[in-house]
Amino acid sequence: MTSPDHHRPEPRPHRNRLDLEPDTVERDLVKLVLTVVELLRQLMERQALRRFDVGDLSEDQEERIGLTLMLLEERMAELRDRYGLRPEDLNLDLGPLGPLRPRARTRRPYWRTSSGGAA
């Protein structure tokens, strides 16, 4: 039993929460799907970097993985543009792990060169 003095604290608003409104449901759904795809893309990129670092991939595999990840990134950019989304819109707060999309990359994937092509 709780005393009348104790009341529940007001819920805090959550950042990056989807506001599902009838006029924006398609855009919000695309935002959610692209956010999940971005999370998976980053996981695949990190795994590819680990495999590259330990020499676990053949040259052909490195080239295919690099090309696939670059094409996925390009398609995601096209979809973001189509729905008026920015890369920052696809961010998630992962709690103690930090945000899904860091503000600045500390390491460039090996398949990206200064000209933007595959290595």
Side-chain angles (χ1 to χ4, degrees), residues 10-66:
E10 292 294 319
R12 295 184 306 173
H14 294 282
R15 293 184 338 205
N16 297 328
R17 184 176 262 185
L18 289 177
D19 293 325
L20 294 176
E21 297 293 328
D23 344 346
T24 62
V25 73
E26 181 180 12
R27 183 179 184 271
D28 292 338
L29 181 58
V30 168
K31 179 179 174 181
L32 176 62
V33 169
L34 287 180
T35 299
V36 171
V37 171
E38 175 60 17
L39 173 63
L40 294 173
R41 187 195 66 76
Q42 285 189 25
L43 291 172
M44 290 175 7
E45 185 175 281
R46 288 181 186 133
Q47 180 64 25
L49 285 171
R50 276 193 288 276
R51 291 184 70 193
F52 175 74
D53 287 345
V54 298
D56 195 25
L57 299 170
S58 70
E59 285 185 35
D60 184 52
Q61 288 173 317
E62 288 175 15
E63 189 172 320
R64 283 191 333 220
I65 290 171

